[in-house]
Amino acid sequence: HPSVVPHYIFKDFYDLEPAKFQNKTNGITPRRWLLLCNPGLADVIAERIGEDYLKDLSQLKKLLDYVDNEAFIRDVAKIKQENKLKFAAYLEKHYQVQINPDSMFDVQVKRIHEYKRQLLNCLHIITLYNRIRMEPNKSFVPRTVMIGGKAAPGYHMAKMIIKLITSVGEVVNNDPIVGDRLKVIYLENYKVSLAEAVIPASDLSQQISTAGTEASGTGNMKFMLNGALTIGTMDGANVEMAEEAGEENFFIFGMRVEDVEAMDKKG
Ligand SMILES: *Cc1c(COP(=O)(O)O)cnc(C)c1O
């Protein structure tokens, strides 16, 4: 994205005054997106490496000493399970929806947009549904797919995508063959307070925008800071996140920016 702005959008301006262009990838505050929304995890980390990491996140690297530490792994897993129970109770209270806190929480929360590809996530739900229907006796990891976000008032296609997701949910959630192995929840009225509740409870973070379209993303960072694994494309800040975490710790898939451009050129 930083190369898109000077070389395409403001090309003439850039050719005249290149020094006037520079890029800062944006970010999130660990005070809100860890300490405030997930005090349990913040404590488990502070017990090992002290509290200074909240003002200097690079200090999280000190946790590398604990990657194989069973007590640390147990503590982190326990906090995640507590957060999942708490979010299940929150959903029941505020949305009158019941979910299975022992299922994998697979979450995509962000504004609804074609480039963010909630539609791709929806096709994946249909694929999982068909797999269960085809081999109903096979064992599947129970999964609760949650998708949330608002559409801009005039964005017709975004509203149709919401309609599709809720309609797919109606079929999946009421199929007795599927049972509690797959549930689809639409998180209405997605906002910061809902983000602070769902992100600490998430197992899987969906960051699947078409490569070359997301300038940075910040939702991706919030999930990672709360111990969710990411499935995502090489787009926006996912690129730097995969680099920092190591690609072996990141579920990367799909076309790279160059592949998308080559496909666009071919038409
Ligand atoms: C962080 C946040 C966003 C941005 O999410 P992206 O995944 O980066 O698009 C949008 N809405 C809310 C309420 C947020 O907290």
Side-chain angles (χ1 to χ4, degrees), residues 26 32 39 51 53 59 71 82 88 93 174 198 222 227 266:
N26 54 188
R32 176 184 296 277
E51 291 183 343
Y53 77 92
Q59 292 192 25
E82 283 173 9
K93 180 168 177 215
N174 295 300
V198 68
K222 299 169 195 170
K266 272 172 65 183

Side-chain angles (χ1 to χ4, degrees), residues 28 33 109-111 115-116 190-196 199 206-207 214 216-223:
I28 58 168
W33 295 109
V109 284
K110 45 182 76 259
R111 296 301 297 256
Y115 86 80
K116 289 176 184 285
Y190 179 57
K191 51 185 170 177
V192 168
S193 54
L194 181 53
E196 288 172 353
I199 292 171
Q206 294 270 357
Q207 306 298 338
E214 188 78 82
S216 157
T218 53
N220 47 186
M221 305 174 194
K222 299 169 195 170
F223 281 96

